[in-house]
């Protein structure tokens, strides 16, 4: 597939070049765009795993100082000026913005620049996160501005699209392109466990793959596990991921006397390849656009217990392809875990049904093809 007479130069912008769903998305789309004949660059704020992967793929990267997740007037102004200078110097045909901060600053910085098309992918709206009412209001206004200032906003789930329908004329601006599961070879169960925690191979593993951010509510999973641990002493909780909550979660594990049964392993390269190490997969976010980690767990035929938020019900149908529980309810998580641990036939049936849905409805090829069509 070649770009033909379509625009030749694409500049992606993302706030953090770390690990996570938005970063995986940028990597996959940027790599596919390059393979289709486009000249591709990625501008980013924080350094991290994405930067390393882009370098390995031979994709040009540009650092934007001041571009970070938090709102700081001085940094934001500096990032805006740098983005505008980058846009003028690079002269891209298409600017593809990702993440809320990059979306707002990038869409404003692109104003008045001729012969450039600006697209934005929403990986979830910041106004759905746990914040004060006034912050939510400001973020909702800012999100609306991004949609209005860009040619098209790609929504990675029906929930993301639905949350912006309050905006006048939004139907002309919004384009639904569901996330697709990345394809990778999974480590067999024993090999995965040996690579992670060699001396716990015979236990039953409850697994989590998540950024350690307050929105992900990994602490709710730890509290839920504490409630059932004495009933299932042969079970451990294994958490893969890094982030700002790491130290606080270690303190909670210690306070609940779970140091011998909860393993916070930090960042693990290619974490998705380890899903077969788990017997059950858990996710407890209070806001989630769709959920790469759930797609990855589903591809491994794992039974999944997740919160009923955002786009997750588009993957998980309660009691059909997994269990859904309300957010911020550790008791409900604990109850669901008990059911899955005690009923192995149910767990197997839910995992198989989820695998079928993921393979059928969440193709990365379809995601890439639909996104490239937006560029043409």
């Amino acid at each position: 597939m070649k770009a033909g007479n379509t625009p030749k130069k694409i500049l992606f912008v993302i706030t953090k070049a770390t690990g996570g769903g938005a970063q995986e998305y940028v990597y996959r789309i940027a790599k596919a765009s390059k393979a289709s004949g486009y000249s591709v660059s990625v501008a980013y704020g924080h350094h991290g795993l994405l930067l390393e992967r882009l370098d390995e793929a031979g994709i040009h990267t540009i650092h934007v100082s001041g571009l970070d997740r938090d709102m700081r007037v001085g940094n934001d102004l500096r990032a805006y000026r740098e983005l505008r200078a980058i846009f003028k110097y690079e002269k891209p045909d298409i600017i593809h913005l990702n993440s809320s901060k990059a979306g707002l600053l990038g869409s404003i910085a692109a104003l008045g620049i001729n012969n450039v098309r600006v697209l934005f992918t929403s990986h979830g709206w910041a106004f759905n996160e746990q914040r004060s009412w006034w912050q939510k209001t400001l973020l909702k206004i800012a999100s609306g501005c991004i949609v209005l200032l860009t040619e098209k906003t790609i929504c990675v789930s029906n929930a993301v699209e639905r949350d912006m329908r309050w905006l006048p004329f939004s139907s002309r601006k919004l384009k639904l392109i569901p996330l697709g599961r990345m394809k990778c070879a999974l480590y067999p169960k024993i090999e995965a466990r040996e690579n992670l925690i060699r001396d716990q191979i015979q236990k039953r593993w409850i697994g989590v793959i998540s950024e350690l951010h307050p929105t992900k509510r990994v602490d709710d999973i730890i509290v839920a596990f504490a409630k059932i641990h004495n009933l299932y002493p042969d079970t451990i909780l294994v958490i893969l991921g890094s982030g700002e909550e790491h130290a606080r979660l270690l303190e909670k594990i210690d306070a609940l006397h779970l140091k011998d049964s909860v393993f916070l392993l930090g960042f693990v390269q290619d974490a998705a390849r380890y899903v077969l190490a788990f017997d059950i997969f858990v996710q407890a976010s209070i806001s989630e656009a769709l959920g790469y980690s759930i797609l990855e767990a589903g591809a491994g035929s794992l039974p999944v217990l997740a919160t009923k938020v955002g786009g997750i019900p588009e993957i998980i149908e309660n009691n059909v392809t997994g269990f859904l529980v309300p957010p911020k309810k550790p008791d409900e998580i604990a109850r669901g875990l008990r059911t899955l641990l005690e009923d192995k036939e149910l767990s197997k049936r839910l995992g198989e049904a989820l695998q079928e849905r993921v393979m059928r409805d969440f193709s990365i090829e379809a995601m890439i093809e639909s996104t490239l069509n937006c560029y043409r």
Side-chain angles (χ1 to χ4, degrees), residues 68-187:
D68 56 32
R69 194 175 189 275
D70 298 327
M71 297 179 66
R72 297 185 179 92
V73 175
N75 284 353
D76 293 346
L77 287 173
R78 184 165 72 253
Y80 160 78
R81 288 193 294 266
E82 289 192 27
L83 284 171
R84 189 160 180 86
I86 290 167
F87 295 165
K88 289 182 176 180
Y89 179 79
E90 294 287 328
K91 294 182 173 59
D93 298 290
I94 293 173
I95 297 171
H96 190 161
L97 307 169
N98 293 266
S99 70
S100 297
K101 176 62 75 67
L104 182 60
L105 294 178
S107 60
I108 296 172
L111 288 173
I113 297 179
N114 296 325
N115 302 317
V116 64
R117 297 171 56 207
V118 184
L119 282 69
F120 171 65
T121 293
S122 174
H123 303 275
W125 303 108
F127 56 76
N128 284 329
E129 297 176 2
Q130 189 169 322
R131 300 172 184 267
S132 64
W133 68 268
W134 65 268
Q135 288 177 318
K136 284 176 175 282
T137 301
L138 288 176
L139 288 168
K140 198 165 190 177
I141 293 170
S143 298
C145 289
I146 296 171
V147 175
L148 293 173
L149 291 172
T150 54
E151 175 184 316
K152 190 72 68 178
T153 289
I154 296 171
C155 302
V156 300
S157 69
N158 284 295
V160 170
E161 182 183 31
R162 185 173 59 246
D163 284 347
M164 193 48 70
R165 287 180 188 162
W166 58 269
L167 188 70
F169 312 111
S170 61
S171 60
R172 304 176 188 174
K173 292 279 194 172
L174 304 178
K175 173 72 173 178
L176 174 64
I177 302 179
L179 286 179
R181 182 192 69 87
M182 68 175 188
K183 292 182 177 179
C184 61
L186 303 180
Y187 292 122

Side-chain angles (χ1 to χ4, degrees), residues 11 25 175 179 282:
L11 174 62
Y25 174 92
K175 173 72 173 178
L179 286 179
V282 189

Side-chain angles (χ1 to χ4, degrees), residues 81-308:
R81 288 193 294 266
E82 289 192 27
L83 284 171
R84 189 160 180 86
I86 290 167
F87 295 165
K88 289 182 176 180
Y89 179 79
E90 294 287 328
K91 294 182 173 59
D93 298 290
I94 293 173
I95 297 171
H96 190 161
L97 307 169
N98 293 266
S99 70
S100 297
K101 176 62 75 67
L104 182 60
L105 294 178
S107 60
I108 296 172
L111 288 173
I113 297 179
N114 296 325
N115 302 317
V116 64
R117 297 171 56 207
V118 184
L119 282 69
F120 171 65
T121 293
S122 174
H123 303 275
W125 303 108
F127 56 76
N128 284 329
E129 297 176 2
Q130 189 169 322
R131 300 172 184 267
S132 64
W133 68 268
W134 65 268
Q135 288 177 318
K136 284 176 175 282
T137 301
L138 288 176
L139 288 168
K140 198 165 190 177
I141 293 170
S143 298
C145 289
I146 296 171
V147 175
L148 293 173
L149 291 172
T150 54
E151 175 184 316
K152 190 72 68 178
T153 289
I154 296 171
C155 302
V156 300
S157 69
N158 284 295
V160 170
E161 182 183 31
R162 185 173 59 246
D163 284 347
M164 193 48 70
R165 287 180 188 162
W166 58 269
L167 188 70
F169 312 111
S170 61
S171 60
R172 304 176 188 174
K173 292 279 194 172
L174 304 178
K175 173 72 173 178
L176 174 64
I177 302 179
L179 286 179
R181 182 192 69 87
M182 68 175 188
K183 292 182 177 179
C184 61
L186 303 180
Y187 292 122
K189 180 182 287 287
I190 298 301
E191 181 181 352
R193 290 187 172 189
E194 287 179 341
N195 289 340
L196 292 174
I197 316 171
R198 182 177 292 273
D199 62 352
Q200 301 289 328
I201 291 176
Q202 301 305 319
K203 298 287 183 72
R204 289 194 288 181
W205 288 32
I206 298 170
V208 179
I209 300 176
S210 176
E211 180 185 7
L212 305 184
H213 184 274
T215 301
K216 302 300 184 179
R217 299 290 296 192
V218 175
D219 52 337
D220 287 346
I221 302 173
I222 295 171
V223 170
F225 181 78
K227 294 176 181 294
I228 66 168
H229 174 55
N230 289 335
L231 297 173
Y232 308 100
D234 65 333
T235 302
I236 62 174
L237 176 62
V238 181
I239 303 166
L240 310 185
S242 60
E244 62 194 75
E245 290 276 277
H246 189 272
R248 191 179 74 82
L249 293 175
L250 282 176
E251 291 176 359
K252 181 171 284 292
I253 292 167
D254 189 42
L256 293 171
H257 308 291
L258 295 172
K259 292 175 68 175
D260 294 329
S261 52
V262 177
F263 298 86
L264 194 61
L265 300 186
F267 170 76
V268 175
Q269 183 81 33
D270 297 325
R273 298 187 64 188
Y274 290 88
V275 294
L276 295 183
F278 308 140
D279 298 295
I280 298 169
F281 188 85
V282 189
Q283 184 270 6
S285 295
I286 57 172
S287 176
E288 196 74 49
L290 192 68
Y292 261 121
S293 61
I294 294 175
L295 296 179
E296 292 158 359
S301 194
L302 295 183
V304 172
L305 186 154
T307 44
K308 189 178 180 180

Side-chain angles (χ1 to χ4, degrees), residues 55-68:
D55 287 343
E56 289 175 1
I59 294 173
H60 177 55
T61 58
I62 308 165
H63 181 239
V64 183
S65 62
L67 183 58
D68 56 32

